[in-house]
Amino acid sequence: MDWFTASDYWLSRLVFQRALAAVYLVAFLTAALQFRALIGRRGMLPVPEFVERVPFKRAPSLFQVHYSDRFFALCAWAGCAVSAALLAGLDSLLPLWGGMLLWLVPWLLYLSIVNVGQTWYSFGWESLLLEVGFLAVFLGNDEVAPPLVVLFLLRWILFRVEFGAGLIKMRGDACWRKLTCLDHHHETQPMPGPLSWFFHRLPRPLHRVEVAANHVTQLVVPFLLFTPQPVATAAAALMIATQLWLVLSGNFSWLNWITIVLALSAVRFPADPPDRPEAPLWYVVVVLAVAALLVVLSYQPVRNMVSRRQVMNRSFDPVHLVNTYGAFGSVSRIRYEVVVEGTADEVPREDSDWREYEFKGKPGDPRRWPRQFAPYHLRLDWMMWFAALSPAYAGSWFGTLVERLLENDRATLKLLRRSPFPPDAPPRYVRARLFRYRYTTWRELRETGACWERTYVREYLPPTRLAESAQRP
C-alpha cells in the first residue's frame, strides 16, 4: 500500500514521537506538582464542586466518575510514567495495536485533567497538546511506515496554529499592521524570561524587522507545508527557527515547543528508510476513518479562521479533537502587576510591617531578574498577569488564594518562590496592590542593578482577615 504510507518519514516520525513524549512529561509533571492548590479538594477551584454542576457530556473526564486528591495524583504521576516510557521508546517494542494503546493512555489522562482544570487549564496549548496527542495514537510504530494521511493532518494542525495566529494579529491590534507591537510586547508579555529585557532594548528598526518576519512566517510560509520536498522541509525549518527565537524572548509554557514538535513531523531527514511490511487492513481502515472524522470536524475551526470575528484558542468539541488557535491579537502598552503582601500586626495601617510574597516567575522585586521556566507552566503566575489586566479574571479564585495565604496553606505556598512568614505564624492580614512596571534603561540598570522600575497605582484588595477572605477584588 504505497499510497497509504510514507516510508521516507520514518525518522521524522521517530523524532516527532520522542519530542511529543517529552512535552507530555512536562505537562503531567506540571499537573502533579500544582494541582492540590489549584483544583484539589481544598484548591482555589475544586474539582468536586466543578463536576457537581458540569455534566459528563460537556466535560468528559475520569474525575467525573471519581475524584480524590490521591486519585488525581495517581493519574498525574501515571501520566509521567507513561510519557517517560514513550520517550524511552517502549511503543516501538510493542505490536502495532499495543503501541497505539500506549499512546492513547496519556491522551485520555490529560484530557481528563484539562476538562476539569477550569481557568487554570484554559490556555490554548492544552487543546493543542490534546489534538496533537490524539493524532499521535494513529501514527504507528516500527511495524509500519508512517501513514501519509496522518502526516498531512499534523501539517494541517501546524498550518492552523501559524496561519490562525497571523490572521488574529492582522485583524486585531493596529500595532501589528504598523510593525510596532514589539516596541511593547517584550515588556508586557505574561512572563518575561532572562533575555526579555535585552530583547526589549533592541533598536526599534530591528523590532520592525521582527514583526515583518513574523507576518511572513505566519501568513505565507504555512502554505509551503503542502508543497513537495525539500520546500516543505525548508518551511518547517523556518517555523522552528522562529519558535526558538520566541523561546529565547519569553516564557510561553510549552506553546513554542509543541509547535516545534509539529514542525519536526514535516521535516524529511536524510536517512535511508528500513524495510517495513505493508500496513494491516484493520489499521488502514481505522486511520482513514479517524482522518475522515477530523476533516469533518475541521469545518468549525476553518469557518472561525476565515471569519472577521475570529476568536482565539477555542475548542469546538468536548474532547478537543480539532481546535482553533491564536495569540496576542492585542498587545498591552503598559505592564501592571498585582503585588500581594501580608502583615502580622493586630491593626493594619499603611506604616505596618507589610511583607511581600514572592512568586516564582511573575515580576515582583524590581531587582530580581526573570528566570527561564518554560516549557514548565507556572499556572498561578500566568493567571496573576491576567488578574492585573482586570479583576474580573480573578473573581473566581483570588479570594480563595488570599484565604489560603492567611492559613499558611502548605500546598499554596509551594506555588510561590518565598513566603515572608514562618509556617507556624501566618499573617493576620493580607492585601494586594496594583503597580505599574517598566523595564529600566541601560543607565538605570548600571546604577541600581534593577531590571524593573515600579510605581504604585491603586489598591487592588484592601487588608483582609481570614473571616473576610471571601471578599473579591
Side-chain angles (χ1 to χ4, degrees), residues 3-18:
W3 61 271
F4 181 73
T5 57
S7 58
D8 288 348
Y9 287 87
W10 71 273
L11 186 54
S12 303
R13 176 179 63 186
L14 180 64
V15 173
F16 166 82
Q17 288 177 328
R18 301 301 166 253

Side-chain angles (χ1 to χ4, degrees), residues 57-375:
K57 65 179 181 179
R58 283 180 51 197
S61 169
L62 292 173
F63 307 116
Q64 290 273 9
V65 180
H66 170 73
Y67 181 84
S68 70
D69 285 356
R70 180 175 296 181
F71 181 60
F72 189 101
L74 176 64
C75 290
W77 287 114
C80 288
V82 175
S83 300
L86 289 168
L87 181 59
L90 179 60
D91 57 317
S92 297
L93 304 178
L94 300 174
L96 176 58
W97 62 268
M100 294 174 66
L101 289 178
L102 189 62
W103 274 104
L104 188 62
V105 171
W107 182 80
L108 287 171
L109 290 174
Y110 202 66
L111 174 69
S112 293
I113 292 173
V114 169
N115 276 351
V116 298
Q118 304 161 79
T119 297
W120 307 109
Y121 283 80
S122 60
F123 302 93
W125 48 81
E126 315 291 359
S127 294
L128 182 55
L129 178 56
L130 287 171
E131 185 172 353
V132 176
F134 181 75
L135 267 181
V137 175
F138 306 96
L139 199 52
N141 62 4
D142 284 352
E143 285 196 3
V144 295
L148 188 60
V149 65
V150 177
L151 293 172
F152 176 87
L153 288 172
L154 288 171
R155 295 188 196 189
W156 172 231
I157 300 175
L158 181 58
F159 177 89
R160 285 186 282 114
V161 169
E162 293 284 9
F163 192 62
L167 288 178
I168 202 72
K169 291 181 175 68
M170 297 304 290
R171 290 170 173 153
D173 202 317
C175 70
W176 290 114
R177 298 185 293 276
K178 296 177 181 177
L179 308 183
T180 59
C181 274
L182 291 189
D183 294 349
H184 316 284
H185 168 73
H186 296 302
E187 182 176 64
T188 62
Q189 63 183 301
M191 193 182 304
L195 298 179
S196 299
W197 187 96
F198 299 98
F199 274 83
H200 180 69
R201 291 301 172 196
L202 290 174
R204 289 199 171 188
L206 186 53
H207 285 325
R208 308 293 186 273
V209 173
E210 286 183 275
V211 178
N214 177 83
H215 290 334
V216 172
T217 303
Q218 294 190 325
L219 295 173
V220 178
V221 174
F223 290 93
L224 301 180
L225 291 170
F226 304 107
T227 60
Q229 296 291 2
V231 178
T233 292
L238 185 56
M239 291 179 175
I240 291 172
T242 303
Q243 293 299 321
L244 290 174
W245 183 264
L246 296 174
V247 167
L248 292 175
S249 68
N251 277 295
F252 298 103
S253 185
W254 57 79
L255 173 60
N256 307 123
W257 294 106
I258 190 68
T259 307
I260 290 172
V261 170
L262 273 171
L264 288 172
S265 70
V267 174
R268 188 169 67 184
F269 294 94
D272 293 331
D275 292 331
R276 294 283 186 271
E278 285 193 357
L281 181 59
W282 68 265
Y283 178 61
V284 175
V285 171
V286 169
V287 168
L288 293 180
V290 168
L293 172 65
L294 296 180
V295 169
V296 172
L297 293 177
S298 294
Y299 171 75
Q300 287 288 0
V302 171
R303 182 181 179 185
N304 171 75
M305 191 164 55
V306 300
S307 170
R308 293 182 179 180
R309 297 182 180 180
Q310 179 189 6
V311 296
M312 300 185 297
N313 301 323
R314 176 170 297 181
S315 297
F316 296 94
D317 59 85
V319 289
H320 306 263
L321 293 184
V322 185
N323 314 286
T324 186
Y325 305 103
F328 298 107
S330 61
V331 173
S332 301
R333 304 320 195 252
I334 298 174
R335 181 179 199 93
Y336 293 105
E337 289 289 344
V338 177
V339 175
V340 182
E341 302 169 320
T343 182
D345 293 356
E346 291 282 353
V347 179
R349 297 187 296 269
E350 192 59 37
D351 60 350
S352 294
D353 179 25
W354 290 104
R355 307 175 194 173
E356 183 176 334
Y357 287 90
E358 294 185 17
F359 289 75
K360 292 180 179 180
K362 91 174 197 67
D365 181 356
R367 300 177 68 90
R368 183 164 59 86
W369 204 268
R371 292 175 53 194
Q372 185 67 35
F373 287 95

